[in-house]
Amino acid sequence: MVRVRFAPSPTGPLHIGGVRTALYNYLFAKKNNGVFILRIEDTDQNRFVPGAEEYILESLEWCGIKFDEGVHVGGKYGPYKQSLRANIYAEYINILIKNDKAYYAFETSEELNALRKDYESRGETFQYGINNRTKLKNSLTLSSSEVGDLLNSGNPYVIRFKVPENKEVIINDIIRGEVRVKSEIIDDKILFKSDGLPTYHLANIVDDHLMDITHVIRGEEWLPSLPLHVLLYEAFEWEMPEFAHLPLILRPDGNGKLSKRDGDRLGFSVYPITWKDPKSGEIYRGFREDGYYPEAFVNMLALLGWNPGDDREIMSMQEMIEAFDLRHVHKAGARFDPIKAQWFNHVYLQARDIKLVAEEFKNELSKLGIDITIEKAEYISEMMRERANFVKEMVTESMFFFKAPEELDAKAIKKWGTEKSVEWINDIIEKFEEMPTFESSTIDEVMNTYVKERELKAGNFYNTIRICIVGTSKGPHLSKIMQYIGKEETISRLEKGKKYF
Ligand code: GLU
Protein backbone atom coordinates (compact mmCIF):
# COMPACT_ATOMS: atom_id res chain seq x y z
CA MET A 1 0.00 0.00 0.00
CA VAL A 2 1.49 3.31 -1.12
CA ARG A 3 1.55 5.94 1.64
CA VAL A 4 3.01 9.37 0.97
CA ARG A 5 3.05 12.57 2.92
CA PHE A 6 3.37 16.30 2.43
CA ALA A 7 5.21 17.66 5.43
CA PRO A 8 5.40 21.45 5.41
CA SER A 9 6.74 23.55 8.25
CA PRO A 10 4.44 26.42 9.17
CA THR A 11 7.17 29.01 8.77
CA GLY A 12 5.44 31.18 6.19
CA PRO A 13 3.31 30.98 3.07
CA LEU A 14 3.62 28.05 0.71
CA HIS A 15 5.65 28.95 -2.36
CA ILE A 16 4.49 27.41 -5.66
CA GLY A 17 7.39 24.96 -5.34
CA GLY A 18 5.81 23.65 -2.15
CA VAL A 19 2.41 23.40 -3.80
CA ARG A 20 3.99 21.38 -6.61
CA THR A 21 5.55 19.00 -4.07
CA ALA A 22 2.11 18.48 -2.53
CA LEU A 23 0.60 18.02 -5.99
CA TYR A 24 3.11 15.36 -7.10
CA ASN A 25 2.57 13.48 -3.84
CA TYR A 26 -1.17 13.66 -4.40
CA LEU A 27 -0.97 12.52 -8.04
CA PHE A 28 1.35 9.68 -7.06
CA ALA A 29 -0.90 8.55 -4.21
CA LYS A 30 -4.06 8.60 -6.34
CA LYS A 31 -2.37 6.91 -9.27
CA ASN A 32 -1.35 4.06 -6.99
CA ASN A 33 -4.59 3.88 -5.00
CA GLY A 34 -2.55 4.96 -2.03
CA VAL A 35 -2.97 7.25 0.94
CA PHE A 36 -1.95 10.90 1.06
CA ILE A 37 -1.09 12.42 4.42
CA LEU A 38 -0.61 15.99 5.63
CA ARG A 39 1.85 16.28 8.49
CA ILE A 40 2.76 19.60 10.02
CA GLU A 41 6.44 19.79 10.99
CA ASP A 42 6.45 22.46 13.65
CA THR A 43 9.22 21.44 16.02
CA ASP A 44 11.23 24.57 15.33
CA GLN A 45 9.31 26.92 17.58
CA ASN A 46 11.55 29.89 16.69
CA ARG A 47 10.43 29.82 13.10
CA PHE A 48 6.72 29.40 13.76
CA VAL A 49 4.61 31.97 11.89
CA PRO A 50 0.98 32.47 12.95
CA GLY A 51 -1.48 31.86 10.16
CA ALA A 52 0.92 29.78 8.07
CA GLU A 53 -0.79 26.46 8.77
CA GLU A 54 -4.20 27.88 7.87
CA TYR A 55 -2.67 29.36 4.74
CA ILE A 56 -1.28 25.98 3.71
CA LEU A 57 -4.64 24.27 4.20
CA GLU A 58 -6.56 26.95 2.34
CA SER A 59 -4.09 26.95 -0.57
CA LEU A 60 -4.22 23.20 -1.04
CA GLU A 61 -7.97 23.15 -0.78
CA TRP A 62 -8.21 25.83 -3.45
CA CYS A 63 -6.00 23.66 -5.68
CA GLY A 64 -8.26 20.64 -5.20
CA ILE A 65 -5.49 18.67 -3.48
CA LYS A 66 -7.18 16.47 -0.90
CA PHE A 67 -5.78 14.47 1.97
CA ASP A 68 -6.79 11.09 3.31
CA GLU A 69 -5.11 11.61 6.68
CA GLY A 70 -3.75 14.65 8.40
CA VAL A 71 -4.03 17.44 10.95
CA HIS A 72 -7.41 18.51 9.68
CA VAL A 73 -8.96 15.13 8.79
CA GLY A 74 -7.53 12.81 11.44
CA GLY A 75 -6.49 9.20 10.89
CA LYS A 76 -5.08 6.16 12.63
CA TYR A 77 -1.47 7.38 12.67
CA GLY A 78 -2.01 10.70 14.46
CA PRO A 79 -1.36 13.11 15.90
CA TYR A 80 -0.21 14.62 12.62
CA LYS A 81 1.36 17.68 14.15
CA GLN A 82 4.88 17.15 15.40
CA SER A 83 4.60 19.50 18.37
CA LEU A 84 2.00 17.05 19.75
CA ARG A 85 4.38 14.09 19.40
CA ALA A 86 7.24 15.21 21.68
CA ASN A 87 7.03 12.14 23.93
CA ILE A 88 7.37 9.85 20.91
CA TYR A 89 10.63 11.45 19.80
CA ALA A 90 12.00 11.32 23.36
CA GLU A 91 11.43 7.60 23.38
CA TYR A 92 13.26 7.11 20.09
CA ILE A 93 16.23 9.32 20.90
CA ASN A 94 16.74 7.18 24.01
CA ILE A 95 16.97 4.09 21.84
CA LEU A 96 19.77 5.69 19.85
CA ILE A 97 21.60 6.77 23.01
CA LYS A 98 21.27 3.31 24.50
CA ASN A 99 22.68 1.71 21.36
CA ASP A 100 25.61 4.13 21.19
CA LYS A 101 24.27 5.70 17.98
CA ALA A 102 23.86 9.14 19.51
CA TYR A 103 25.56 11.10 22.29
CA TYR A 104 25.13 14.14 24.52
CA ALA A 105 27.15 17.23 23.67
CA PHE A 106 27.60 20.14 26.06
CA GLU A 107 29.25 22.98 24.14
CA THR A 108 27.41 26.24 24.55
CA SER A 109 26.72 28.28 21.42
CA GLU A 110 29.51 30.68 22.48
CA GLU A 111 31.94 27.79 22.67
CA LEU A 112 30.86 26.54 19.27
CA ASN A 113 31.29 30.01 17.80
CA ALA A 114 34.78 30.23 19.25
CA LEU A 115 35.60 26.84 17.73
CA ARG A 116 34.31 27.98 14.34
CA LYS A 117 36.42 31.11 14.47
CA ASP A 118 39.45 29.16 15.51
CA TYR A 119 39.07 26.77 12.55
CA GLU A 120 38.46 29.65 10.20
CA SER A 121 41.65 31.38 11.28
CA ARG A 122 43.46 28.27 10.12
CA GLY A 123 41.58 28.25 6.84
CA GLU A 124 39.43 25.27 7.83
CA THR A 125 35.75 24.73 8.43
CA PHE A 126 34.54 23.46 11.75
CA GLN A 127 32.33 20.41 11.57
CA TYR A 128 31.27 18.52 14.69
CA GLY A 129 31.89 14.90 13.70
CA ILE A 130 34.09 11.91 13.15
CA ASN A 131 37.33 13.89 12.99
CA ASN A 132 37.03 15.85 16.22
CA ARG A 133 34.21 14.51 18.39
CA THR A 134 36.65 12.60 20.63
CA LYS A 135 38.30 15.88 21.54
CA LEU A 136 35.16 17.85 22.41
CA LYS A 137 32.90 18.19 25.46
CA ASN A 138 30.47 15.30 25.08
CA SER A 139 29.44 11.95 26.46
CA LEU A 140 32.06 10.22 24.26
CA THR A 141 34.87 12.01 26.12
CA LEU A 142 33.46 12.69 29.61
CA SER A 143 32.99 10.04 32.25
CA SER A 144 29.45 8.85 32.89
CA SER A 145 29.41 10.54 36.29
CA GLU A 146 30.47 13.84 34.70
CA VAL A 147 27.74 13.45 32.11
CA GLY A 148 25.22 12.60 34.82
CA ASP A 149 26.22 15.69 36.81
CA LEU A 150 25.91 17.96 33.81
CA LEU A 151 22.50 16.60 32.93
CA ASN A 152 21.24 16.78 36.51
CA SER A 153 22.45 20.33 36.99
CA GLY A 154 20.11 21.44 34.21
CA ASN A 155 22.97 22.36 31.91
CA PRO A 156 21.75 22.91 28.38
CA TYR A 157 22.77 20.10 26.05
CA VAL A 158 22.04 18.65 22.67
CA ILE A 159 21.98 15.08 21.45
CA ARG A 160 23.99 14.47 18.33
CA PHE A 161 23.92 11.61 15.88
CA LYS A 162 27.09 9.52 15.92
CA VAL A 163 27.89 9.16 12.25
CA PRO A 164 29.50 5.76 11.70
CA GLU A 165 33.12 5.78 10.51
CA ASN A 166 34.47 4.53 7.19
CA LYS A 167 31.17 4.05 5.54
CA GLU A 168 30.04 4.75 2.06
CA VAL A 169 26.39 5.69 2.02
CA ILE A 170 24.70 4.53 -1.18
CA ILE A 171 21.30 5.88 -2.02
CA ASN A 172 19.00 5.33 -4.96
CA ASP A 173 16.84 8.29 -5.70
CA ILE A 174 14.02 7.58 -8.15
CA ILE A 175 14.68 10.83 -10.00
CA ARG A 176 18.41 11.39 -9.43
CA GLY A 177 19.62 7.83 -9.67
CA GLU A 178 22.44 6.61 -7.46
CA VAL A 179 24.07 8.99 -5.00
CA ARG A 180 27.20 7.92 -3.06
CA VAL A 181 28.58 9.82 -0.09
CA LYS A 182 31.45 9.04 2.28
CA SER A 183 30.35 9.19 5.90
CA GLU A 184 33.38 11.36 6.83
CA ILE A 185 31.83 14.39 5.17
CA ILE A 186 28.57 14.07 7.11
CA ASP A 187 28.54 15.95 10.40
CA ASP A 188 27.09 14.74 13.67
CA LYS A 189 23.81 16.61 13.29
CA ILE A 190 21.82 17.63 16.33
CA LEU A 191 18.82 15.35 16.73
CA PHE A 192 17.38 16.53 20.00
CA LYS A 193 17.63 19.59 22.24
CA SER A 194 17.35 20.10 25.97
CA ASP A 195 14.02 21.89 25.43
CA GLY A 196 12.66 18.37 24.94
CA LEU A 197 12.04 18.76 21.22
CA PRO A 198 13.67 16.98 18.32
CA THR A 199 15.15 18.67 15.28
CA TYR A 200 13.69 18.20 11.82
CA HIS A 201 15.92 15.21 11.02
CA LEU A 202 14.90 12.99 13.90
CA ALA A 203 11.22 13.89 13.88
CA ASN A 204 11.01 13.44 10.12
CA ILE A 205 12.56 9.95 10.14
CA VAL A 206 10.64 8.73 13.17
CA ASP A 207 7.35 9.95 11.74
CA ASP A 208 7.96 8.59 8.25
CA HIS A 209 8.68 5.24 9.89
CA LEU A 210 5.75 5.26 12.32
CA MET A 211 3.34 6.51 9.67
CA ASP A 212 4.42 3.71 7.31
CA ILE A 213 5.51 6.11 4.59
CA THR A 214 6.55 4.17 1.49
CA HIS A 215 7.81 7.05 -0.71
CA VAL A 216 9.35 10.35 0.31
CA ILE A 217 8.72 12.85 -2.49
CA ARG A 218 10.13 16.27 -1.66
CA GLY A 219 12.11 19.23 -2.95
CA GLU A 220 15.70 19.06 -4.11
CA GLU A 221 16.78 21.25 -1.20
CA TRP A 222 16.49 18.16 1.02
CA LEU A 223 18.90 16.08 -1.03
CA PRO A 224 21.92 17.08 1.11
CA SER A 225 20.11 15.69 4.18
CA LEU A 226 19.46 12.36 2.54
CA PRO A 227 22.74 10.60 3.54
CA LEU A 228 22.07 11.49 7.17
CA HIS A 229 18.51 10.21 6.89
CA VAL A 230 19.72 6.95 5.38
CA LEU A 231 22.18 6.52 8.25
CA LEU A 232 19.39 7.18 10.73
CA TYR A 233 17.23 4.46 9.19
CA GLU A 234 20.19 2.12 9.46
CA ALA A 235 20.84 3.11 13.06
CA PHE A 236 17.24 2.25 13.96
CA GLU A 237 17.42 -0.86 11.77
CA TRP A 238 14.29 0.25 9.96
CA GLU A 239 13.31 -0.41 6.42
CA MET A 240 13.75 2.69 4.30
CA PRO A 241 11.11 4.35 2.16
CA GLU A 242 11.97 5.13 -1.45
CA PHE A 243 13.13 8.67 -2.18
CA ALA A 244 12.37 11.07 -5.01
CA HIS A 245 13.83 14.58 -4.94
CA LEU A 246 12.05 17.05 -7.21
CA PRO A 247 13.87 19.63 -9.33
CA LEU A 248 13.86 23.29 -8.37
CA ILE A 249 11.53 25.80 -9.96
CA LEU A 250 13.74 28.39 -11.62
CA ARG A 251 13.29 32.05 -12.48
CA PRO A 252 11.99 32.81 -15.98
CA ASP A 253 15.54 33.59 -17.20
CA GLY A 254 16.75 30.26 -15.81
CA ASN A 255 19.15 31.99 -13.43
CA GLY A 256 18.59 30.53 -10.00
CA LYS A 257 15.70 29.52 -7.86
CA LEU A 258 12.40 31.38 -8.16
CA SER A 259 12.06 33.52 -5.04
CA LYS A 260 9.35 35.70 -3.62
CA ARG A 261 11.31 38.78 -4.65
CA ASP A 262 11.30 37.72 -8.31
CA GLY A 263 7.54 37.72 -8.27
CA ASP A 264 7.37 41.26 -6.94
CA ARG A 265 10.08 42.48 -9.26
CA LEU A 266 8.76 40.90 -12.45
CA GLY A 267 5.06 41.30 -11.69
CA PHE A 268 3.70 37.82 -11.15
CA SER A 269 2.68 35.65 -8.22
CA VAL A 270 4.86 33.00 -6.66
CA TYR A 271 2.20 32.10 -4.08
CA PRO A 272 -1.04 30.22 -4.69
CA ILE A 273 -3.19 32.65 -2.72
CA THR A 274 -2.54 36.07 -1.22
CA TRP A 275 -0.40 36.13 1.89
CA LYS A 276 -0.30 38.90 4.41
CA ASP A 277 2.87 38.82 6.48
CA PRO A 278 1.69 39.00 10.09
CA LYS A 279 4.81 40.88 11.21
CA SER A 280 5.45 43.41 8.50
CA GLY A 281 1.87 43.59 7.21
CA GLU A 282 3.32 43.24 3.71
CA ILE A 283 1.00 41.64 1.17
CA TYR A 284 2.15 39.11 -1.40
CA ARG A 285 -0.12 38.50 -4.36
CA GLY A 286 -1.52 35.08 -5.14
CA PHE A 287 -2.56 33.26 -8.30
CA ARG A 288 -6.10 32.99 -6.97
CA GLU A 289 -6.46 36.73 -6.53
CA ASP A 290 -4.76 37.34 -9.88
CA GLY A 291 -7.77 35.60 -11.38
CA TYR A 292 -6.46 32.12 -12.13
CA TYR A 293 -8.79 29.16 -12.12
CA PRO A 294 -7.42 26.52 -9.76
CA GLU A 295 -7.61 23.91 -12.55
CA ALA A 296 -5.44 26.07 -14.81
CA PHE A 297 -2.97 26.82 -12.03
CA VAL A 298 -2.63 23.16 -11.06
CA ASN A 299 -2.30 22.07 -14.70
CA MET A 300 0.44 24.63 -15.31
CA LEU A 301 2.24 23.68 -12.10
CA ALA A 302 2.16 19.95 -12.79
CA LEU A 303 4.02 20.49 -16.06
CA LEU A 304 6.79 22.46 -14.35
CA GLY A 305 9.17 19.54 -14.05
CA TRP A 306 7.05 16.66 -15.27
CA ASN A 307 5.53 15.47 -18.55
CA PRO A 308 2.87 12.85 -19.16
CA GLY A 309 5.10 10.93 -21.57
CA ASP A 310 3.51 12.57 -24.60
CA ASP A 311 2.97 16.15 -25.70
CA ARG A 312 -0.34 16.81 -23.99
CA GLU A 313 -0.48 20.12 -22.15
CA ILE A 314 -4.08 20.66 -21.15
CA MET A 315 -5.01 18.01 -18.63
CA SER A 316 -7.61 17.62 -15.92
CA MET A 317 -6.63 16.41 -12.46
CA GLN A 318 -8.01 12.98 -13.33
CA GLU A 319 -5.97 12.80 -16.54
CA MET A 320 -2.86 13.83 -14.67
CA ILE A 321 -3.47 11.17 -12.04
CA GLU A 322 -3.77 8.54 -14.74
CA ALA A 323 -0.60 9.69 -16.48
CA PHE A 324 1.53 10.36 -13.40
CA ASP A 325 4.85 8.59 -13.18
CA LEU A 326 7.86 9.70 -11.11
CA ARG A 327 10.13 8.47 -13.88
CA HIS A 328 8.85 11.32 -16.01
CA VAL A 329 9.90 13.95 -13.51
CA HIS A 330 12.87 15.86 -14.93
CA LYS A 331 16.25 16.10 -13.23
CA ALA A 332 16.98 19.61 -14.37
CA GLY A 333 15.36 22.69 -12.85
CA ALA A 334 12.10 23.84 -14.42
CA ARG A 335 11.82 27.42 -15.61
CA PHE A 336 8.70 29.25 -14.54
CA ASP A 337 7.18 31.03 -17.52
CA PRO A 338 4.62 33.69 -16.47
CA ILE A 339 3.33 34.10 -20.05
CA LYS A 340 2.75 30.38 -20.39
CA ALA A 341 0.94 30.44 -17.05
CA GLN A 342 -1.47 33.01 -18.47
CA TRP A 343 -1.93 30.91 -21.57
CA PHE A 344 -3.13 28.03 -19.41
CA ASN A 345 -5.76 30.24 -17.88
CA HIS A 346 -6.75 31.51 -21.32
CA VAL A 347 -7.42 27.96 -22.49
CA TYR A 348 -9.46 27.14 -19.37
CA LEU A 349 -11.42 30.36 -19.77
CA GLN A 350 -12.40 29.41 -23.34
CA ALA A 351 -13.46 25.92 -22.34
CA ARG A 352 -15.45 27.00 -19.30
CA ASP A 353 -19.23 26.81 -19.22
CA ILE A 354 -20.32 30.24 -20.50
CA LYS A 355 -22.95 30.47 -17.75
CA LEU A 356 -20.19 30.33 -15.12
CA VAL A 357 -18.05 32.86 -16.95
CA ALA A 358 -21.05 35.18 -17.19
CA GLU A 359 -21.65 34.92 -13.47
CA GLU A 360 -18.01 35.69 -12.71
CA PHE A 361 -18.06 38.57 -15.15
CA LYS A 362 -21.22 39.96 -13.57
CA ASN A 363 -19.67 39.74 -10.10
CA GLU A 364 -16.48 41.48 -11.13
CA LEU A 365 -18.50 44.23 -12.76
CA SER A 366 -20.65 44.80 -9.73
CA LYS A 367 -17.47 45.38 -7.70
CA LEU A 368 -17.08 48.43 -9.93
CA GLY A 369 -20.63 49.49 -9.26
CA ILE A 370 -21.90 48.28 -12.63
CA ASP A 371 -24.90 45.97 -12.37
CA ILE A 372 -26.21 44.13 -15.40
CA THR A 373 -28.50 41.15 -15.90
CA ILE A 374 -27.05 37.67 -16.26
CA GLU A 375 -28.30 37.53 -19.88
CA LYS A 376 -26.38 40.65 -20.74
CA ALA A 377 -23.34 39.36 -18.93
CA GLU A 378 -23.49 36.22 -21.04
CA TYR A 379 -23.89 38.21 -24.26
CA ILE A 380 -20.75 40.23 -23.52
CA SER A 381 -18.78 37.29 -22.11
CA GLU A 382 -19.28 35.32 -25.33
CA MET A 383 -17.64 38.14 -27.23
CA MET A 384 -14.92 39.16 -24.84
CA ARG A 385 -13.45 35.92 -23.59
CA GLU A 386 -11.69 34.99 -26.83
CA ARG A 387 -9.30 37.86 -26.35
CA ALA A 388 -8.82 37.52 -22.60
CA ASN A 389 -6.78 35.39 -20.24
CA PHE A 390 -8.82 36.31 -17.17
CA VAL A 391 -12.35 37.40 -16.37
CA LYS A 392 -10.89 40.54 -14.79
CA GLU A 393 -9.25 41.35 -18.09
CA MET A 394 -12.60 40.89 -19.85
CA VAL A 395 -13.99 43.51 -17.51
CA THR A 396 -11.31 46.14 -18.09
CA GLU A 397 -11.47 45.54 -21.82
CA SER A 398 -15.25 45.90 -22.05
CA MET A 399 -15.88 49.26 -20.42
CA PHE A 400 -17.19 50.72 -23.71
CA PHE A 401 -20.30 48.60 -23.25
CA PHE A 402 -21.18 50.62 -20.20
CA LYS A 403 -19.98 54.11 -20.91
CA ALA A 404 -18.99 56.19 -23.91
CA PRO A 405 -15.23 56.46 -24.42
CA GLU A 406 -13.87 59.58 -22.77
CA GLU A 407 -11.21 60.07 -25.37
CA LEU A 408 -10.68 58.69 -28.84
CA ASP A 409 -7.38 57.12 -29.81
CA ALA A 410 -5.53 59.82 -31.79
CA LYS A 411 -3.18 57.32 -33.42
CA ALA A 412 -6.07 55.22 -34.67
CA ILE A 413 -7.81 58.31 -36.04
CA LYS A 414 -4.63 59.27 -37.88
CA LYS A 415 -4.37 55.80 -39.33
CA TRP A 416 -7.99 55.25 -40.38
CA GLY A 417 -9.60 58.65 -40.67
CA THR A 418 -10.06 60.32 -44.10
CA GLU A 419 -11.46 63.66 -45.26
CA LYS A 420 -14.67 61.72 -45.88
CA SER A 421 -15.00 60.33 -42.36
CA VAL A 422 -17.40 63.00 -41.11
CA GLU A 423 -19.62 62.56 -44.16
CA TRP A 424 -19.75 58.78 -43.61
CA ILE A 425 -20.64 59.26 -39.96
CA ASN A 426 -23.46 61.65 -40.88
CA ASP A 427 -24.81 59.29 -43.52
CA ILE A 428 -24.75 56.30 -41.24
CA ILE A 429 -26.48 58.21 -38.44
CA GLU A 430 -29.25 59.03 -40.88
CA LYS A 431 -29.58 55.39 -41.90
CA PHE A 432 -29.61 54.21 -38.30
CA GLU A 433 -32.33 56.69 -37.44
CA GLU A 434 -34.56 55.16 -40.10
CA MET A 435 -34.17 51.64 -38.71
CA PRO A 436 -37.35 50.36 -36.97
CA THR A 437 -35.36 47.86 -34.87
CA PHE A 438 -31.70 47.86 -34.01
CA GLU A 439 -30.14 44.43 -34.15
CA SER A 440 -26.68 43.26 -35.00
CA SER A 441 -27.69 41.53 -38.24
CA THR A 442 -29.70 44.46 -39.60
CA ILE A 443 -27.04 46.94 -38.51
CA ASP A 444 -24.50 44.88 -40.46
CA GLU A 445 -26.78 44.92 -43.48
CA VAL A 446 -27.17 48.67 -43.39
CA MET A 447 -23.45 49.31 -43.04
CA ASN A 448 -22.43 46.72 -45.64
CA THR A 449 -24.87 48.12 -48.19
CA TYR A 450 -23.55 51.62 -47.59
CA VAL A 451 -19.93 50.49 -48.07
CA LYS A 452 -20.85 48.67 -51.29
CA GLU A 453 -22.97 51.44 -52.80
CA ARG A 454 -20.35 54.07 -52.11
CA GLU A 455 -17.49 51.72 -53.03
CA LEU A 456 -15.64 52.54 -49.82
CA LYS A 457 -12.52 50.98 -48.43
CA ALA A 458 -14.01 48.80 -45.72
CA GLY A 459 -11.06 49.26 -43.31
CA ASN A 460 -11.37 53.03 -43.30
CA PHE A 461 -15.11 53.08 -42.96
CA TYR A 462 -15.52 50.47 -40.25
CA ASN A 463 -12.62 51.76 -38.19
CA THR A 464 -13.97 55.30 -38.37
CA ILE A 465 -17.26 54.09 -36.93
CA ARG A 466 -15.58 51.74 -34.45
CA ILE A 467 -13.34 54.49 -33.06
CA CYS A 468 -16.46 56.55 -32.26
CA ILE A 469 -18.15 53.65 -30.50
CA VAL A 470 -15.22 51.96 -28.72
CA GLY A 471 -12.62 54.72 -28.56
CA THR A 472 -10.07 52.76 -30.54
CA SER A 473 -9.78 50.44 -33.53
CA LYS A 474 -9.86 47.24 -31.44
CA GLY A 475 -12.66 45.22 -29.91
CA PRO A 476 -15.26 42.58 -30.71
CA HIS A 477 -17.90 42.56 -33.45
CA LEU A 478 -18.98 46.18 -33.92
CA SER A 479 -22.69 45.69 -34.62
CA LYS A 480 -23.01 43.50 -31.54
CA ILE A 481 -21.66 46.31 -29.41
CA MET A 482 -24.14 48.67 -31.07
CA GLN A 483 -27.02 46.33 -30.44
CA TYR A 484 -26.01 46.17 -26.79
CA ILE A 485 -25.71 49.91 -26.21
CA GLY A 486 -28.81 50.62 -28.34
CA LYS A 487 -29.65 53.00 -31.13
CA GLU A 488 -29.78 56.18 -29.10
CA GLU A 489 -26.39 55.67 -27.45
CA THR A 490 -24.86 54.56 -30.76
CA ILE A 491 -25.99 57.75 -32.43
CA SER A 492 -24.90 59.89 -29.52
CA ARG A 493 -21.38 58.39 -29.65
CA LEU A 494 -21.22 58.93 -33.40
CA GLU A 495 -22.26 62.57 -32.99
CA LYS A 496 -19.59 63.12 -30.33
CA GLY A 497 -16.93 61.14 -32.20
CA LYS A 498 -17.44 63.05 -35.40
CA LYS A 499 -15.71 66.09 -33.93
CA TYR A 500 -12.42 64.24 -33.69
CA PHE A 501 -12.19 63.53 -37.41
N1 GLU B 1 9.37 20.07 6.91
C1 GLU B 1 10.12 19.93 5.72
C2 GLU B 1 9.79 21.12 4.83
O1 GLU B 1 9.33 22.09 5.32
C3 GLU B 1 9.78 18.62 5.06
C4 GLU B 1 10.84 18.04 4.20
C5 GLU B 1 10.48 16.61 3.86
O2 GLU B 1 9.54 16.41 3.12
O3 GLU B 1 11.15 15.72 4.35
O4 GLU B 1 9.99 21.16 3.66
Side-chain angles (χ1 to χ4, degrees), residues 94-111:
N94 285 333
I95 297 177
L96 290 185
I97 297 258
K98 206 175 89 215
N99 295 336
D100 193 26
K101 310 273 188 192
Y103 60 93
Y104 292 97
F106 297 99
E107 283 80 12
T108 61
S109 45
E110 292 77 32
E111 283 167 331

Side-chain angles (χ1 to χ4, degrees), residues 5-11 21 39 41 82 200 204 208 216-219 221-222 229:
R5 82 314 192 262
F6 179 53
S9 299
T11 53
T21 299
R39 182 172 76 221
E41 301 206 327
Q82 290 188 328
Y200 156 73
N204 188 267
D208 282 348
V216 169
I217 305 167
R218 62 184 171 192
E221 63 274 26
W222 297 105
H229 293 182

